[in-house]
């Protein structure tokens, strides 16, 4: 019994990181109706950014999140102008394919640079021991970082002028433009933030598990599941849904082999989508 | 009617040349090149039924090829069925699987469906990697005795080659047949405006599920023949995500929605890929180049090569389809 509880707490901690990844996807989706298929490769890049920075500096890995996020913002602007700006508002087929093309290029470059062999960030914080179970310090620190970043995003979206503009464009782009909001600036900004969130979550995952350039795909699938659970364009809901998915994983891992998890997640994804074809709370009270 | 379409004869002539030239010259290297091109054409033209005709992106198209390979190999080698029968049954089995899956996930509109197809690929792969009768993650290896009914391994290579060319010709004829049919018109209506199609009385969920299932049949047969020829199958080869992506690149490159475009893109991309993979300096970057190519096509020439020909010679629309 205690074992299951401990496994669920582990899952909950990791789940906060899933939630953070999904927030990035959800934000982009909500603001510009683009499914960002570079998501998985950006998560993978986040892992390698963290790895490179930590190898160079060897300070507390969680301080390195700041430069990683900054790099993510810059990268987000680059990807937006490379592949997204031209297809916003065109058929969804085009944005799916163009973001996908960038995904292939990033994976291709990553494979050439780092091959597909596993890497890990060799940093660990002391864990917390309760009874006979020890919760790794890294999981706790990653979960706290994820929650802090999520709260910061929420504050940004609610309190700053630019954040309000993002929410306005997300609600109704035409009306926002009539109010004098430059939608190009907002779209660029929202896309950059979305990518930075994906990169930050990748950096957090890299402190927990070993990774390869292809690992991003696994977290991309989780992000899809979390995003549809939470409803589109609801970044705050994504964090909660991420924690739920983590809990669920924690609940099932003591009983079944880890390699079954994609099947379960996919089943959940389809179930949610078929029962709620437009997302659970999509636009109900946006 | 289909027999009046010039493209039909183009398809038959191409298939005949594919068979005649390697046979006449007994050129085994050429045969191996052509079989890869043929498989690319099979995958691209069946994917075209979804992406080009119906406007639904299927990121997991390779699932049909891999599952067909597994079912077919299992029937042909463990159950000792004749190869062609095993392939046909594999085709039907995978189509049925696609139909059932399609009735569920094709309620999803556009982008949601695309996400689901990425999930299907990972889910099927994780299922097969845990499935005991199919050798879990080590897969299945064939012994040489398997090829005896076909007159030994050497003869079997030629036989599977003809079979693959046959499947290629069928794929292209199927694409053409659907394009000129009323059913095809319903699919185009879904692609242009799904809500309008519903209003006009197209049962879109059924149409989409049928085309999803149809697009599974021939790739599954091709999977049986190819993995039988290669003598082994495992989950990472059968369900390679990159292969699924390359199918999309081929289709966009040639021109989605056209029979000739899918075939042309399949053939050209396969040539490009084998060039890149064998070049020592570029082999690491073949994915980067493929991605860059896809991005350029999507941004600047969404009609692909055939779209470019259409713009250059507008009359060609009537002949090349």
């Amino acid at each position: 019994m205690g074992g299951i509880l401990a496994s669920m707490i582990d899952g909950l901690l990791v789940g906060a990181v899933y939630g953070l990844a999904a927030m990035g996807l959800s934000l982009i989706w909500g603001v510009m109706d683009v499914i960002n298929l570079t998501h998985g490769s950006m998560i993978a890049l986040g892992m390698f950014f963290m790895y490179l920075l930590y190898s160079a500096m060897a300070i507390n890995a969680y301080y390195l999140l700041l430069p990683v996020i900054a790099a993510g913002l810059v990268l987000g602007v680059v990807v937006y102008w490379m592949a997204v700006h031209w297809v916003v508002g065109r058929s969804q087929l085009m944005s799916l394919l163009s973001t996908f093309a960038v995904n292939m290029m990033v994976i291709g470059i990553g494979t050439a640079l780092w091959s597909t062999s596993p890497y890990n960030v060799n940093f660990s914080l002391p864990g917390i021991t309760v009874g006979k179970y020890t919760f790794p310090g890294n999981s706790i620190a990653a979960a706290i970082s994820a929650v802090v970043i999520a709260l910061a995003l929420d504050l940004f979206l609610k309190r700053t002028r630019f954040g309000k503009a993002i929410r306005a464009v997300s609600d109704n782009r035409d009306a926002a433009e009539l109010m004098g909001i430059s939608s190009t600036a907002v779209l660029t900004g929202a896309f950059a933030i979305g990518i930075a969130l994906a990169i930050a979550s990748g950096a957090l995952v890299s402190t927990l598990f070993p990774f390869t350039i292809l690992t991003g795909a696994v977290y991309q699938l989780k992000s899809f599941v979390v995003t549809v659970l939470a409803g589109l364009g609801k970044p705050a809901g994504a964090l909660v849904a991420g924690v739920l998915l983590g809990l669920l994983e924690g609940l099932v891992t003591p009983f079944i082999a880890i390699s079954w998890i994609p099947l379960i997640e996919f089943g959940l994804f389809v179930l949610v989508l078929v029962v709620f074809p437009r997302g659970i709370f999509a636009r109900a009270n946006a | 009617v289909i027999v009046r379409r010039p493209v039909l004869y183009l398809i038959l002539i191409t298939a005949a040349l594919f068979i005649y030239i390697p046979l006449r010259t007994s050129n085994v290297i050429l045969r191996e090149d052509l079989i890869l091109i043929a498989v690319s054409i099979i995958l691209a033209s069946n994917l075209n039924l979804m992406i080009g005709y119906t406007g639904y992106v299927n990121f997991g198209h390779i699932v049909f090829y891999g599952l067909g390979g597994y079912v077919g190999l299992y029937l042909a080698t463990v159950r000792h069925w004749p190869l062609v029968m095993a392939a046909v049954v594999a085709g039907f089995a995978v189509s049925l699987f696609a139909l059932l899956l399609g009735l569920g996930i094709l309620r999803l509109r556009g982008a949601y469906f695309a996400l689901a197809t990425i999930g299907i690929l990972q889910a099927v792969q994780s299922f097969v990697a845990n499935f005991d009768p199919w050798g879990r993650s080590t897969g299945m290896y064939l012994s040489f005795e398997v090829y005896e009914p076909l007159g030994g391994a050497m003869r079997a290579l030629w036989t599977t080659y003809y079979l693959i060319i046959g499947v290629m010709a069928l794929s292209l004829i199927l694409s053409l047949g659907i394009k000129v049919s009323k059913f095809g018109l319903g699919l185009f209506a879904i692609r242009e405006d799904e809500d309008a199609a519903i209003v006009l009385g197209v049962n879109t969920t059924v149409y989409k599920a049928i085309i999803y299932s149809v697009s599974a049949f021939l790739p599954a047969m091709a999977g049986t023949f190819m993995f039988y020829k290669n003598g082994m199958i495992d989950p990472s080869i059968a369900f390679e995500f990159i292969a699924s992506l390359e199918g999309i690149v081929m289709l966009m490159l040639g021109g989605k929605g056209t029979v000739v475009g899918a075939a042309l893109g399949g053939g050209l991309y396969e040539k490009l890929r084998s060039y890149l993979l064998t070049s020592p300096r570029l082999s690491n970057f073949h994915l980067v180049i493929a991605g860059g190519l896809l991005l350029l096509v999507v941004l600047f020439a969404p009609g692909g090569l055939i779209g470019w020909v259409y713009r250059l010679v507008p009359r060609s629309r009537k002949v090349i389809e």
Side-chain angles (χ1 to χ4, degrees), chain A residues 37-42 44-45 75 78-79 82-84 96-114 213-214, chain B residues 241-242 245-246 249 269 284-300:
Chain A
L37 291 181
T38 66
H39 192 67
S41 62
M42 292 300 149
L45 275 187
L75 193 65
V78 172
V79 173
M82 200 168 129
V84 180
L96 281 170
L97 291 175
S98 74
T99 53
F100 197 63
V102 174
N103 186 64
M104 285 171 75
M105 292 163 76
V106 173
I107 297 287
I109 295 171
T111 311
L113 287 177
W114 300 299
I213 187 71
L214 301 176
Chain B
F241 191 41
I242 292 174
L245 316 187
E246 288 183 323
V249 179
Y269 181 79
N284 283 326
F285 290 95
H286 100 269
L287 207 54
V288 186
I289 293 170
L293 205 59
L294 178 61
L295 186 61
L296 290 176
V297 170
V298 170
L299 294 184
F300 301 110

Side-chain angles (χ1 to χ4, degrees), chain A residues 29 35 37 82-83 86-87 90 92-105 107-109 111-112 217-218 220-221 224 228 232 257 259-263 266 269-270 273-274 277-279 282, chain B residues 51 55-57 59 101 104-105 107-112 114-120 122-124 126-127 130-131 241 245-246 248-249 252 256 269 284-285 287-292 294-295 298-299 302:
Chain A
W29 200 336
I35 294 182
L37 291 181
M82 200 168 129
W86 325 102
V87 292
R90 276 169 65 188
Q92 235 158 10
L93 184 71
M94 292 296 149
S95 56
L96 281 170
L97 291 175
S98 74
T99 53
F100 197 63
V102 174
N103 186 64
M104 285 171 75
M105 292 163 76
I107 297 287
I109 295 171
T111 311
V218 177
Q220 176 168 284
L221 179 62
F224 291 154
V228 298
L232 304 185
S259 52
W260 285 106
I261 283 192
L263 198 65
F266 171 70
F269 176 77
V270 169
L273 278 181
V274 170
R278 284 163 202 281
Chain B
I51 297 186
Y56 273 68
V57 194
F59 285 111
L101 198 63
I105 62 169
R107 288 165 191 278
L108 312 175
R109 282 292 192 83
Y112 287 101
L115 295 190
T117 59
I118 297 180
I120 288 172
Q122 291 177 352
V124 169
S126 88
F127 172 80
N130 284 290
F131 191 57
F241 191 41
L245 316 187
E246 288 183 323
I248 296 172
V249 179
M252 293 302 291
K256 65 177 186 330
Y269 181 79
N284 283 326
F285 290 95
L287 207 54
V288 186
I289 293 170
L294 178 61
L295 186 61
V298 170
L299 294 184

Side-chain angles (χ1 to χ4, degrees), chain A residues 201-243:
Chain A
S201 64
L204 290 175
V205 172
S206 74
T207 63
L208 305 178
F209 310 112
F211 52 93
T212 76
I213 187 71
L214 301 176
T215 313
V218 177
Y219 294 92
Q220 176 168 284
L221 179 62
K222 293 186 202 295
S223 300
F224 291 154
V225 179
V226 172
T227 310
V228 298
L229 276 176
L232 304 185
K234 289 195 168 300
L239 190 69
V240 179
V243 170

Side-chain angles (χ1 to χ4, degrees), chain B residues 23-103:
Chain B
L23 183 66
R24 186 62 204 264
T25 56
S26 310
N27 187 338
V28 176
I29 296 168
L30 180 67
R31 185 194 68 201
E32 293 304 303
D33 275 352
L34 288 179
I35 200 167
L36 290 178
I37 289 178
V39 169
S40 298
I41 292 177
I42 292 167
L43 292 177
S45 70
N46 283 287
L47 183 60
N48 191 23
L49 301 178
M50 287 302 292
I51 297 186
Y53 288 10
T54 322
Y56 273 68
V57 194
N58 181 357
F59 285 111
H61 191 244
I62 202 73
V63 160
F64 302 146
Y65 178 72
L67 269 183
Y70 264 106
V71 176
L73 277 200
Y74 178 75
L75 293 176
T77 63
V78 182
R79 304 253 157 217
H80 302 291
W81 288 23
L83 177 63
V84 176
M85 198 164 105
V88 172
V89 171
F92 277 113
V94 176
S95 280
L96 184 68
F97 166 75
L99 185 68
L100 296 178
L101 198 63
L103 284 173

Side-chain angles (χ1 to χ4, degrees), chain A residues 7-221:
Chain A
S7 163
M8 282 174 74
I9 293 174
D10 270 339
L12 184 142
L13 295 172
V14 180
V17 180
Y18 297 165
L20 188 67
M23 281 172 86
L25 196 68
S26 183
L27 181 73
I28 292 174
W29 200 336
V31 174
M32 57 193 91
D33 280 326
V34 164
I35 294 182
N36 171 30
L37 291 181
T38 66
H39 192 67
S41 62
M42 292 300 149
I43 293 175
L45 275 187
M47 296 169 174
F48 279 90
F49 282 178
M50 180 58 106
Y51 171 79
L52 293 176
L53 279 175
Y54 182 75
S55 314
M57 300 201 208
I59 57 173
N60 184 326
Y62 295 94
Y63 296 150
L64 294 171
L65 275 176
L66 285 175
V68 167
I69 289 174
L73 288 170
V74 174
L75 193 65
V77 173
V78 172
V79 173
Y80 179 80
W81 284 98
M82 200 168 129
V84 180
H85 182 71
W86 325 102
V87 292
V88 171
R90 276 169 65 188
S91 88
Q92 235 158 10
L93 184 71
M94 292 296 149
S95 56
L96 281 170
L97 291 175
S98 74
T99 53
F100 197 63
V102 174
N103 186 64
M104 285 171 75
M105 292 163 76
V106 173
I107 297 287
I109 295 171
T111 311
L113 287 177
W114 300 299
S115 78
T116 49
S117 40
Y119 286 76
N120 68 315
V121 173
N122 207 354
F123 170 77
S124 73
L125 290 169
I128 294 176
T129 306
V130 181
K132 55 187 172 139
Y133 302 107
T134 301
F135 300 104
N138 280 18
S139 297
I140 297 167
I144 292 173
S145 309
V147 172
V148 168
I149 295 171
L151 288 177
L153 178 74
D154 198 51
L155 273 181
F156 172 78
L157 288 178
K158 291 204 171 127
R159 296 293 164 83
T160 65
R161 208 175 158 77
F162 193 68
K164 285 177 183 166
I166 289 181
R167 288 196 298 144
V169 172
S170 174
D171 272 352
N172 187 331
R173 192 167 152 200
D174 292 331
E177 281 188 3
L178 288 173
M179 300 301 125
I181 293 170
S182 153
S183 65
T184 304
V186 167
L187 295 185
T188 313
F191 194 84
I193 294 171
I195 295 291
L197 289 172
I199 290 210
S201 64
L204 290 175
V205 172
S206 74
T207 63
L208 305 178
F209 310 112
F211 52 93
T212 76
I213 187 71
L214 301 176
T215 313
V218 177
Y219 294 92
Q220 176 168 284
L221 179 62

Side-chain angles (χ1 to χ4, degrees), chain B residues 210-250:
Chain B
I210 290 177
I211 196 65
Y212 185 62
S213 159
V214 166
S215 77
F217 188 82
L218 291 166
M221 283 185 69
T224 303
F225 295 140
M226 270 312 268
F227 288 109
Y228 180 84
K229 170 186 167 292
N230 292 343
M232 56 102 39
I233 189 168
D234 76 40
S236 61
I237 297 177
F239 305 108
E240 198 181 16
F241 191 41
I242 292 174
S244 231
L245 316 187
E246 288 183 323
I248 296 172
V249 179
M250 292 170 192

